[in-house]
C-alpha cells in the first residue's frame, strides 16, 4: 500500500433493516483514502452516516459491503491500533486522571511494570496540559479537563489513527477553542493520523488537511474532497485574514445549505471511485478529478476574497 493510502475505505455500504421488511441504505459505495499523518474531517447533515463510517473504522461496526484497510491490514474488529474519542468523555468515574490513562496504556503493554505504565501515562497527561491533576477523579474535573483526559488516554496507546466523534460539541466556545488548539498542536508535533466528525465548518477549516463532504442520507454518497489551501502552520487569530479563507468557507457552507440536498439529481454522472478533489485558489475554484484533469468551476453563493497577496 502506498503512503497515499495508509487508510483505504473501499466500496463500503451500510444497510439497516427497517419496518415491514424494508431495508434502509444509509450510504452506498463509499471510497476514500487518507495518507499517514493526515488530519481529515467528514461533514454532512445528520443521517448521512458519518458516525457509522467512524464506527466501521474503529471496528465497532461492520459494513454491509466493502472493506476498510489500515496500514495494509483489513479491519475485522476493534484494535488498540485505533483509538476513539467520543462526544462524552467516557471516563471511569472511580479512577483518577492517572488511573484512566494508565488503564489504557496497561491494556496495550500488559507486561510492563506499574512504573513503566505510569511513566507512559504521565507523558501524555503532561502533553495535554494536566500536570498536577493526576490524582483527581472525573467528578473533580471540568468538562474541558475531562476531554483532555480522553485525549491523553487515546494518545497513550500510540494509535495508528485517532478517531474523534464531535469530541468538543458539548463544550462552551472558549473551552472548545482551547482544546482545538491543543489537538492541532499535538497532531503537528507527533504526526498523528486523525479522522474527525464535525458539524462545525470553522472547526474543520482550522483542524483538517482534507474535508470530506457527504450528501444527505439515506443513500448518502461522498460528493467532494476539499483540500485545505491554508498554510499548515495556520493560527486561529489570523485564520480569517487569509485571502482564501472565505472562499473555502463559503464553498463548504454552500454545499451544506443547498448542493447536498440536490446532489443526486444535479450530478447524474457521479463516480464514487473517482470523487472530485476541490482545490480553491485565487484564480478561481479548481476541481481536480482522479484523472488529474482540472476544470474551472463556480458554485452558487461562492464569494471571492477581496484581499490579495
Amino acid at each position: 500500500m502506498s503512503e497515499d493510502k495508509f487508510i483505504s475505505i473501499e466500496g463500503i455500504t451500510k444497510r439497516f433493516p427497517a419496518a415491514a421488511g424494508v431495508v434502509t441504505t444509509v450510504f452506498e459505495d463509499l471510497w476514500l483514502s487518507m495518507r499517514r499523518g493526515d488530519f481529515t474531517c467528514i461533514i454532512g447533515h445528520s443521517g448521512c452516516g458519518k458516525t457509522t463510517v467512524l464506527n466501521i473504522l474503529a471496528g465497532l461496526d461492520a459494513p454491509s459491503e466493502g472493506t476498510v484497510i489500515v496500514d495494509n491490514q483489513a479491519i475485522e474488529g476493534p484494535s488498540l491500533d485505533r483509538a476513539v474519542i467520543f462526544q462524552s468523555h467516557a471516563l471511569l468515574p472511580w479512577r483518577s486522571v492517572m488511573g484512566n490513562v494508565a488503564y489504557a496504556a496497561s491494556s496495550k503493554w500488559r507486561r510492563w511494570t506499574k512504573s513503566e505504565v505510569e511513566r507512559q501515562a504521565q507523558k501524555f497527561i503532561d502533553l495535554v496540559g494536566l500536570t498536577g491533576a493526576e490524582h483527581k477523579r472525573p467528578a473533580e474535573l471540568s468538562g474541558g479537563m475531562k476531554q483532555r483526559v480522553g485525549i491523553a488516554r487515546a494518545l497513550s496507546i500510540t494509535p495508528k489513527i485517532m478517531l474523534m466523534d464531535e469530541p468538543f460539541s458539548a463544550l462552551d466556545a472558549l473551552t472548545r477553542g482551547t482544546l482545538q488548539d491543543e489537538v492541532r498542536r499535538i497532531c503537528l508535533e507527533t504526526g498523528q493520523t486523525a479522522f474527525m466528525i464535525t458539524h462545525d465548518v470553522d472547526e474543520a477549516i482550522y483542524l483538517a488537511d482534507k474535508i470530506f463532504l457527504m450528501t444527505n442520507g439515506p443513500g448518502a454518497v461522498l460528493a467532494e474532497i476539499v483540500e485545505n489551501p491554508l498554510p499548515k502552520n495556520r493560527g486561529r487569530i489570523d485564520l480569517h485574514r487569509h485571502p482564501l479563507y472565505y472562499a473555502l468557507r463559503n464553498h463548504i457552507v454552500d454545499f451544506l445549505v443547498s448542493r447536498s440536498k440536490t446532489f443526486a439529481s444535479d450530478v447524474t454522472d457521479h463516480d464514487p471511485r473517482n470523487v472530485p478533489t476541490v482545490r480553491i485558489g485565487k484564480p478561481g475554484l479548481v476541481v481536480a478529478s482522479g484523472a488529474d484533469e482540472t476544470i474551472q468551476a463556480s458554485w452558487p453563493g461562492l464569494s471571492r476574497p477581496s484581499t490579495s497577496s
Side-chain angles (χ1 to χ4, degrees), residues 1 5 20-21 25 32 62 80-81 86 107 117 126 141 144 150 153 157 164 191 206 224 226 231 237 246 250-251 255:
M1 182 180 295
K5 289 190 176 181
T25 301
L32 60 88
L80 291 173
D81 285 339
F86 298 100
S107 67
V117 168
D126 295 342
L141 304 176
R153 181 177 57 184
I157 61 173
M164 295 180 282
Y206 180 49
E224 294 175 358
V226 181
I237 295 176
Y246 285 106
N250 289 349
H251 178 80
F255 176 85

Side-chain angles (χ1 to χ4, degrees), residues 245-262:
Y245 170 77
Y246 285 106
L248 174 62
R249 190 180 192 280
N250 289 349
H251 178 80
I252 297 171
V253 170
D254 176 67
F255 176 85
L256 294 172
V257 171
S258 58
R259 290 188 294 117
S260 63
K261 302 173 185 176
T262 60

Side-chain angles (χ1 to χ4, degrees), residues 40-43 49-55 87 163-167 195-200 203:
T40 55
C41 283
I42 186 167
I43 292 183
K50 302 183 300 298
T51 297
T52 302
V53 173
L54 183 140
N55 287 339
Q87 291 184 38
L163 305 167
M164 295 180 282
D165 187 0
E166 297 189 80
F195 179 86
M196 181 176 179
I197 293 172
T198 182
H199 284 99
D200 188 329
E203 181 173 75

Side-chain angles (χ1 to χ4, degrees), residues 23-309:
V23 175
T24 299
T25 301
V26 181
F27 55 80
E28 189 168 17
D29 203 15
L30 183 65
W31 295 77
L32 60 88
S33 62
M34 287 164 269
R35 297 173 299 183
R36 190 188 300 270
D38 269 357
F39 196 122
T40 55
C41 283
I42 186 167
I43 292 183
H45 291 285
S46 296
C48 73
K50 302 183 300 298
T51 297
T52 302
V53 173
L54 183 140
N55 287 339
I56 291 172
L57 273 168
L60 301 174
D61 200 352
S64 304
E65 297 174 11
T67 189
V68 179
I69 299 172
V70 176
D71 199 16
N72 292 315
Q73 292 185 335
I75 291 177
E76 297 179 348
S79 168
L80 291 173
D81 285 339
R82 303 181 300 277
V84 184
I85 302 174
F86 298 100
Q87 291 184 38
S88 61
H89 52 81
L91 301 180
L92 301 176
W94 61 89
R95 285 181 174 265
S96 64
V97 170
M98 173 60 74
N100 271 278
V101 180
Y103 182 77
S106 64
S107 67
K108 183 165 186 178
W109 294 285
R110 296 182 180 274
R111 296 185 179 181
W112 279 12
T113 65
K114 180 180 179 182
S115 61
E116 287 175 321
V117 168
E118 290 188 349
R119 188 160 52 247
Q120 175 74 359
Q122 188 68 54
K123 173 182 175 181
F124 292 96
I125 290 171
D126 295 342
L127 189 65
V128 300
L130 286 178
T131 307
E134 292 86 351
H135 302 295
K136 291 185 177 181
R137 288 187 168 83
E140 303 174 80
L141 304 176
S142 67
M145 293 174 75
K146 291 174 185 175
Q147 284 298 71
R148 286 175 184 263
V149 179
I151 295 167
R153 181 177 57 184
L155 291 171
S156 71
I157 61 173
T158 60
K160 291 181 178 178
I161 176 173
M162 185 164 62
L163 305 167
M164 295 180 282
D165 187 0
E166 297 189 80
F168 314 130
S169 60
L171 303 175
D172 64 89
L174 184 59
T175 304
R176 183 165 62 247
T178 300
L179 284 186
Q180 288 168 355
D181 292 342
E182 288 297 303
V183 165
R184 177 159 177 77
R185 176 185 62 80
I186 291 167
C187 287
L188 287 174
E189 288 180 0
T190 64
Q192 178 68 56
T193 305
F195 179 86
M196 181 176 179
I197 293 172
T198 182
H199 284 99
D200 188 329
V201 173
D202 291 310
E203 181 173 75
I205 292 173
Y206 180 49
L207 294 176
D209 303 306
K210 290 183 180 179
I211 302 164
F212 301 122
L213 302 182
M214 295 284 290
T215 64
N216 291 10
V221 299
L222 176 62
E224 294 175 358
I225 301 169
V226 181
E227 289 188 354
N228 194 334
L230 306 187
K232 192 80 172 179
N233 61 346
R234 55 189 175 270
R236 177 184 301 280
I237 295 176
D238 297 322
L239 196 68
H240 68 284
R241 296 189 178 97
H242 193 280
L244 299 181
Y245 170 77
Y246 285 106
L248 174 62
R249 190 180 192 280
N250 289 349
H251 178 80
I252 297 171
V253 170
D254 176 67
F255 176 85
L256 294 172
V257 171
S258 58
R259 290 188 294 117
S260 63
K261 302 173 185 176
T262 60
F263 185 85
S265 58
D266 292 345
V267 185
T268 56
D269 59 347
H270 178 67
D271 181 0
R273 298 192 66 168
N274 192 28
V275 175
T277 296
V278 177
R279 299 184 177 101
I280 295 175
K282 285 185 287 186
L285 182 62
V286 178
V287 180
S289 72
D292 292 330
E293 298 176 9
T294 59
I295 58 173
Q296 295 294 323
S298 178
W299 304 114
L302 177 67
S303 64
R304 304 296 183 197
S306 58
T307 59
S308 60
S309 59

